[in-house]
């Protein structure tokens, strides 16, 4: 199942896994990345619900940005290899 998801999200994963050189990876980086991604998804969901209930559709761009950041964090944290996690953290 993980292989199918890796193929589905290969565009995102290839971008972060293609860097070269040394990197520093810690297991806690992956955990924090997944937690922060989840928080961004929750924040975007709450913002979307508030925008719909108040009929404020001008907040569409921040909602999309928050959702995209959260989604990328979840994908890289859940499916990416150690290099991808270190790349998103900027660890060199």
């Amino acid at each position: 199942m993980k292989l199918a998801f890796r193929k589905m999200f290969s565009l995102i994963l290839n971008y972060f896994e293609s860097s070269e050189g040394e990197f520093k990876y810690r297991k806690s980086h992956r955990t924090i990345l997944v937690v922060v991604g989840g928080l961004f998804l929750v924040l975007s969901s709450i913002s979307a619900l508030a925008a719909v209930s108040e009929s404020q559709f001008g907040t569409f761009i921040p909602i999309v940005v928050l959702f995209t950041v959260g989604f990328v964090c979840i994908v890289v944290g859940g499916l990416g290899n150690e290099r991808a996690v270190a790349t998103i953290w900027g660890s060199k």
Side-chain angles (χ1 to χ4, degrees):
M1 190 62 149
K2 186 175 180 178
L3 185 61
F5 281 125
R6 281 190 56 84
K7 280 186 178 182
M8 189 183 312
F9 300 117
S10 65
L11 184 67
I12 296 170
L13 294 173
N14 288 340
Y15 177 77
F16 290 106
E17 292 175 351
S18 65
S19 65
E20 294 181 9
E22 294 185 26
F23 62 93
K24 294 179 184 176
Y25 170 77
R26 294 184 189 161
K27 188 176 179 180
S28 63
H29 288 172
R30 183 178 302 273
T31 305
I32 293 169
L33 190 62
V34 170
V35 169
V36 168
L39 290 174
F40 271 106
L41 289 177
V42 167
L43 185 59
S44 71
S45 300
I46 292 171
S47 298
L49 288 173
V52 168
S53 69
E54 296 294 324
S55 300
Q56 296 289 326
F57 297 107
T59 60
F60 180 70
I61 293 175
I63 292 169
V64 170
V65 169
L66 289 172
F67 180 80
T68 303
V69 169
F71 184 74
V72 168
C73 287
I74 294 290
V75 168
V76 171
L79 299 173
N81 61 14
E82 284 125 8
R83 181 173 297 278
V85 173
T87 301
I88 207 166
W89 270 93
S91 303
K92 294 183 182 192

